[in-house]
């Protein structure tokens, strides 16, 4: 009952800062109430759309400076465009000792994927990023049948072990990332202009080399 009270009174917020394909930062603020969460562990479950990705190599390089550990549910291909990949999950474990603190703030670098060109004249593609699910677990809670079925999930309690975890589903406003896309209607114009410019440069360079006997 105490754990259920924590779940119902806690909150999660998400904020996007900075701009650009490779400079978005997702900052998650977790406020746990009441403040004394004795014996409880916190886990954040992110459900990322296919329009963004996290760089595991970057996360590894920043691990010494981060206040969390992160577990990916699948391998991340950094090069494929959005329409050739799917969304993925990350499990974020805040780094702390003892019981969970009442206030957590985590910053995760996120990168936008390239999107297909638009043939409808749209200059940007919208990517909706949902706030993470807040998962709580306590060793004292052994009977999960009193909770609604949708609020109990299987999730790793550490980066190496799997155990049942209690989840609260929070209905919050989504954050939207606007990413620029190419204009598909200009494909022929761009290709034709590029080919023409290439041919003109080749002819000019050939004439210069012949004139100065550089061949």
């Amino acid at each position: 009952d105490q754990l259920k009270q924590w779940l119902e009174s806690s909150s999660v917020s998400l904020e996007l800062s900075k701009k650009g394909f490779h400079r978005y930062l997702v900052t998650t603020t977790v406020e746990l109430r009441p403040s004394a969460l004795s014996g409880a562990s916190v886990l954040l479950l992110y459900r990322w759309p296919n329009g963004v990705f996290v760089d595991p190599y970057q996360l590894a390089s920043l691990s010494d400076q981060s206040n969390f550990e992160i577990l990916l549910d699948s391998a991340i291909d950094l090069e494929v465009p959005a329409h050739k990949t799917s969304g993925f999950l990350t499990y974020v474990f805040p780094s702390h000792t003892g019981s969970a603190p009442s206030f957590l703030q985590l910053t995760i670098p996120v990168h936008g994927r390239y999107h297909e060109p638009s043939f409808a004249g749209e200059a940007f593609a919208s990517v909706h990023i949902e706030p993470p699910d807040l998962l709580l677990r306590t060793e004292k809670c052994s009977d999960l049948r009193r909770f609604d079925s949708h609020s109990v999930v299987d999730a790793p309690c550490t980066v190496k072990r799997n155990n049942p975890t209690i989840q609260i589903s929070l209905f919050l406003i989504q954050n939207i990332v606007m990413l620029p896309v190419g204009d598909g209607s200009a494909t022929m114009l761009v290709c034709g202009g590029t080919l023409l410019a290439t041919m003109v440069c080749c002819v000019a360079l050939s004439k210069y080399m012949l004139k100065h006997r550089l061949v």
Side-chain angles (χ1 to χ4, degrees), residues 25 59 82 112 134 140-141 148 150 172 179 184:
L25 296 176
L59 293 173
L134 172 62
K140 298 180 181 179
C141 184
D148 295 333
H150 69 272
L172 301 176
L179 299 175

Side-chain angles (χ1 to χ4, degrees), residues 112-156:
R113 291 192 182 276
Y114 293 106
H115 287 63
E116 283 188 296
S118 171
F119 291 91
E122 298 178 354
F124 293 89
S126 300
V127 179
H128 297 262
I129 300 180
E130 298 180 355
D133 293 333
L134 172 62
L135 310 181
L136 294 179
R137 179 181 179 274
T138 176
E139 297 290 347
K140 298 180 181 179
C141 184
S142 58
D143 185 8
L144 304 181
R145 291 174 298 178
R146 292 180 298 165
F147 290 86
D148 295 333
S149 59
H150 69 272
S151 65
V152 179
V153 298
D154 289 328

Side-chain angles (χ1 to χ4, degrees), residues 41 43 93 137 139 155-165:
S41 301
L43 169 62
F93 304 85
R137 179 181 179 274
E139 297 290 347
C157 58
T158 70
V159 292
K160 297 181 180 179
R161 295 186 300 167
N162 290 318
N163 276 314
T165 302

Side-chain angles (χ1 to χ4, degrees), residues 11-29:
S11 64
V12 178
S13 62
L14 185 147
E15 178 185 355
L16 294 175
S17 61
K18 298 188 178 181
K19 296 181 179 180
F21 263 103
H22 303 288
R23 292 185 294 167
Y24 277 103
L25 296 176
V26 175
T27 301
T28 302
T29 301

Side-chain angles (χ1 to χ4, degrees), residues 23-147:
R23 292 185 294 167
Y24 277 103
L25 296 176
V26 175
T27 301
T28 302
T29 301
V30 182
E31 293 188 62
L32 301 173
R33 294 184 294 269
S35 58
L37 280 173
S38 177
S41 301
V42 174
L43 169 62
L44 294 173
L45 171 58
Y46 288 83
R47 306 176 188 275
W48 300 103
N50 64 343
V52 297
F53 68 93
V54 295
D55 186 345
Y57 304 103
Q58 181 185 21
L59 293 173
S61 67
L62 297 175
S63 59
D64 294 337
Q65 309 170 27
S66 303
N67 59 341
F68 61 86
E69 293 181 292
I70 189 168
L71 177 65
L72 306 176
D73 76 326
S74 60
I76 302 295
D77 192 328
L78 309 182
E79 304 298 333
V80 297
H83 64 282
K84 292 187 177 181
T85 187
S86 57
F88 62 98
L89 305 178
T90 59
Y91 301 92
V92 176
F93 304 85
S95 302
H96 58 81
T97 57
S99 300
S102 59
F103 182 82
L104 298 170
Q105 191 169 61
L106 311 174
T107 300
I108 304 175
V110 178
H111 307 273
R113 291 192 182 276
Y114 293 106
H115 287 63
E116 283 188 296
S118 171
F119 291 91
E122 298 178 354
F124 293 89
S126 300
V127 179
H128 297 262
I129 300 180
E130 298 180 355
D133 293 333
L134 172 62
L135 310 181
L136 294 179
R137 179 181 179 274
T138 176
E139 297 290 347
K140 298 180 181 179
C141 184
S142 58
D143 185 8
L144 304 181
R145 291 174 298 178
R146 292 180 298 165
F147 290 86

